[in-house]
Amino acid sequence: MPQRNSFRLAIIGLVAFAAWLAYRWPGNAEGLAEGPSNDKPNDPPLLAGVAKVEITAKDKLPPGDPLFAKALVIKKGQETIAVVTVDAVAIGGIGPIGDDFMPKLRESLGREPGLAPDRLLVNASHCHGIVVPNAWELAAGAVRQATKAMVPVRAGTGMAHENRIQENRRLRLRDGRESDVRHAYSLPPDELVAGAGPVDPEIGILKLERMDGSVLAVLYNFACHPIMGRADGGNTADLSGFASKVIEDSLGRGCVALFIQGCGGDINPARYKDVSQPRDAEPLGNTLGLTVLRGVNEIRCGDDRRLAMSRQVMSLPRANQTARIASLEAERDRLVKSLKGTTLDLKTFLPLAVRYQLDPRHPSYSSHAYLTEKSRGQSGLEKLDEQNRAALAAYVANIRTMEELTRIQTNLALLERHRKDGEKAGWTNLEAEVMAMRVAGFAMVTFPGEVTTQVGLNIKKASPVKPAFVAGYTNGYLFYAPTAEQARNPGSAQEDSDCKLAPEWQAMFEEKAARMLGGI
């Protein structure tokens, strides 16, 4: 009997120890562990506060759904960081938010609540909604509200997987070039398309819960252009706004969901150019929100109180596309000269094209007319078909040429814009503010531009800390940031045309990202 009691006590002790381990090193949505906390018993508690404020411009577009600036302030001892998310296309550079947003916000928060300028991370969702001119002032107010509302929290990190709502818009063509999927111009012919680029289905999640177990904040990092829009054309925070609403409504208790845009430079919403149904971001956002919720529910928060943020400014080489512009202008001139006269116009082409697709053997009349002619030794209909097919082919060739001309003309305008900016700046290097952040097991590095997916995948793979996440569109805007391989394709897609950076930027940033992630 004493031996049996000792055995029972041993089992109870093992179960208690296992429970303590589960609490100390909680799992996440992918089954990964948080890892040791690196905290000392007397470490200060982790405090956090959240707030959000509406920044929708009510007079620019038809009413839609609200756009927000959201703030998450986290404090441990003397270290305080602030994360601000903004439902806007960019932080400066383009859109309604000017280049003075970050300086004004930093100066204001430096006065109250005394936030250090290198402890502020501001991410734009890249939705194309319109915000009010004083968005920086409202964002500052949200940070102050969050600072005043801080409470003790536990943190947990996890991941979820979503690959149903996005697609890579870069198309690899059989001639070695790449094109892209935009409303600004036509798609290349299907027979020329060899493949599409990758997507990153990973959602990085930081969960902060109050000491009573209720969720205070969910920060989630995902890569996709939120540009599907609304059927009524109304102002919208798009799919990321709908996703955050699903999360907040489901968790309640004043929970704030903060979307952090990832490396979505070449990622569109799924079926972005579908013309058979109205454009509607809400179903996509609902799907994303539900997937995040499943991940949140699997995260167990623990005692990991690590908190760090660092900031570095990189000097990156500027691209000079003067030679490429000249080459594209020559190609444009060649295409214009290749246009040939044709007997058809749109009114005659459309019905003729339908007839020759409907019955390629007998397009001009029913089959008995062809048989009757043949019995007479005549071939009038066959000759007519030969002439019509040649006319159709010539008209289609002109259409394809005009489609290629629109792609070149659109992207030439982007290249020329950045060439002029480069000349004005004396081709000096570009400054890029890069941030690294750690909260418990959540580690993230940022870049101020539209980083394409492969760059983010590379950084995650090479990161000295796992898991690691990557955000673009943060603390500034340097336009598109394509891979070096994509940058060799200037003029055929937006990512390589609407770009200020020379191809060398990629290796420089990936190296910097690994060092910064390793340092936090």
Side-chain angles (χ1 to χ4, degrees):
M1 183 69 73
Q3 289 181 341
R4 184 175 297 176
N5 287 337
S6 297
F7 178 73
R8 287 176 178 170
L9 288 172
I11 293 296
I12 292 171
L14 286 173
V15 171
F17 181 67
W20 179 84
L21 282 177
Y23 178 77
R24 184 67 171 175
W25 288 283
N28 56 45
E30 294 284 335
L32 299 176
E34 280 286 340
S37 70
N38 294 330
D39 288 319
K40 299 175 183 178
N42 295 324
D43 265 0
L46 201 63
L47 305 175
V50 291
K52 68 178 184 179
V53 59
E54 187 175 351
I55 57 173
T56 315
K58 303 292 178 70
D59 59 342
K60 300 296 182 182
L61 291 172
D65 49 274
L67 288 76
F68 292 100
K70 302 180 180 181
L72 168 62
V73 178
I74 309 175
K75 178 180 176 65
K76 176 189 172 185
Q78 298 302 310
E79 179 71 283
T80 302
I81 70 170
V83 177
V84 176
T85 61
V86 183
D87 291 329
V89 66
I91 307 301
I94 59 174
I97 289 182
D99 292 335
D100 60 350
F101 181 95
M102 287 300 297
K104 285 183 176 179
L105 184 59
R106 279 189 166 126
E107 192 274 334
S108 178
L109 295 177
R111 286 187 281 107
E112 183 191 354
L115 183 72
D118 59 354
R119 294 298 186 266
L120 175 64
L121 187 156
V122 184
N123 180 268
S125 71
H126 197 57
C127 75
H128 286 23
I130 307 299
V131 303
V132 292
N134 66 328
W136 71 269
E137 192 172 7
L138 297 175
V143 173
R144 294 188 185 101
Q145 290 179 43
T147 303
K148 294 174 183 177
M150 286 193 290
V151 296
V153 294
R154 290 187 293 260
T157 304
M159 291 177 288
H161 184 278
E162 181 53 69
N163 64 359
R164 298 167 292 174
I165 69 168
Q166 78 275 43
E167 61 188 20
N168 193 298
R169 72 188 194 187
R170 298 280 296 200
L171 304 177
R172 297 191 301 275
L173 306 184
R174 299 188 186 280
D175 62 5
R177 295 180 302 152
E178 291 190 353
S179 188
D180 59 344
V181 180
R182 297 183 63 199
H183 286 296
Y185 39 70
S186 308
L187 290 170
D190 288 336
E191 60 270 19
L192 297 184
V193 178
V199 300
D200 183 355
E202 184 178 77
I203 307 171
I205 305 171
L206 171 65
K207 175 182 178 181
L208 296 174
E209 67 178 22
R210 303 176 184 91
M211 304 311 285
D212 64 3
S214 62
V215 180
L216 174 73
V218 173
L219 185 150
Y220 63 109
N221 169 238
F222 182 67
C224 182
H225 264 66
I227 54 172
M228 183 56 84
R230 296 171 55 101
D232 60 10
N235 208 356
T236 178
D238 216 271
L239 65 90
S240 52
F242 289 116
S244 293
K245 188 176 189 302
V246 167
I247 297 166
E248 293 173 353
D249 289 351
S250 299
L251 295 175
R253 293 286 304 275
C255 173
V256 173
L258 300 96
F259 171 76
I260 298 286
Q261 180 61 262
C263 297
D266 53 359
I267 304 299
N268 273 350
R271 307 291 180 87
Y272 178 59
K273 289 191 65 158
D274 190 350
V275 296
S276 61
Q277 60 183 1
R279 299 177 67 179
D280 189 359
E282 188 167 4
L284 301 176
N286 291 345
T287 300
L288 177 60
L290 290 172
T291 301
V292 173
L293 276 173
R294 283 195 291 271
V296 169
N297 289 336
E298 294 185 24
I299 297 173
R300 295 186 299 278
C301 295
D303 281 341
D304 190 341
R305 283 169 275 168
R306 286 175 289 176
L307 180 66
M309 183 177 282
S310 64
R311 171 184 180 267
Q312 294 191 26
V313 178
M314 299 184 67
S315 178
L316 298 174
R318 188 189 295 262
N320 185 339
Q321 300 289 4
T322 302
R324 180 57 176 163
I325 289 171
S327 175
L328 282 173
E329 288 173 339
E331 175 64 8
R332 179 187 60 190
D333 293 343
R334 184 194 70 78
L335 288 170
V336 170
K337 292 176 182 178
S338 74
L339 290 168
K340 300 265 193 305
T342 171
T343 185
L344 300 180
D345 54 29
L346 184 63
K347 185 176 180 179
T348 53
F349 169 78
L350 288 176
L352 203 61
V354 171
R355 283 165 48 192
Y356 277 77
Q357 286 293 322
L358 185 64
D359 186 356
R361 292 182 61 196
H362 314 106
S364 294
Y365 204 77
S366 298
S367 60
H368 74 274
Y370 286 82
L371 294 172
T372 300
E373 274 202 349
K374 187 175 181 181
S375 69
R376 296 172 180 167
Q378 298 173 339
S379 59
L381 289 175
E382 290 183 355
K383 291 292 186 183
L384 175 63
D385 290 342
E386 183 179 336
Q387 293 166 2
N388 283 341
R389 288 190 179 98
L392 285 168
Y395 197 86
V396 169
N398 279 350
I399 291 174
R400 296 301 192 199
T401 297
M402 288 187 289
E403 289 175 347
E404 182 66 17
L405 278 168
T406 61
R407 282 191 287 273
I408 289 178
Q409 192 77 347
T410 301
N411 289 324
L412 260 176
L414 298 174
L415 288 164
E416 182 62 24
R417 170 186 177 178
H418 295 309
R419 184 192 66 79
K420 289 180 179 178
D421 287 346
E423 284 186 346
K424 186 177 179 180
W427 300 109
T428 55
N429 281 6
L430 296 160
E431 286 192 350
E433 181 178 323
V434 179
M435 305 291 291
M437 179 184 84
R438 174 183 281 282
V439 182
F442 186 94
M444 183 174 71
V445 67
T446 75
F447 188 83
E450 302 199 40
V451 183
T452 55
T453 301
Q454 191 59 56
V455 177
L457 293 172
N458 292 350
I459 290 172
K460 290 181 178 184
K461 183 178 180 180
S463 174
V465 298
K466 306 286 191 218
F469 308 108
V470 191
Y473 310 85
T474 303
N475 286 21
Y477 185 74
L478 291 179
F479 294 83
Y480 280 86
T483 66
E485 182 179 0
Q486 290 171 333
R488 288 194 286 269
N489 184 62
S492 294
Q494 183 176 16
E495 296 82 19
D496 47 73
S497 302
D498 199 7
C499 175
K500 293 176 177 287
L501 297 162
E504 294 80 7
W505 88 273
Q506 181 191 355
M508 296 169 68
F509 174 57
E510 289 182 7
E511 180 183 356
K512 175 70 72 175
R515 288 202 306 269
M516 292 183 72
L517 285 167
I520 57 168

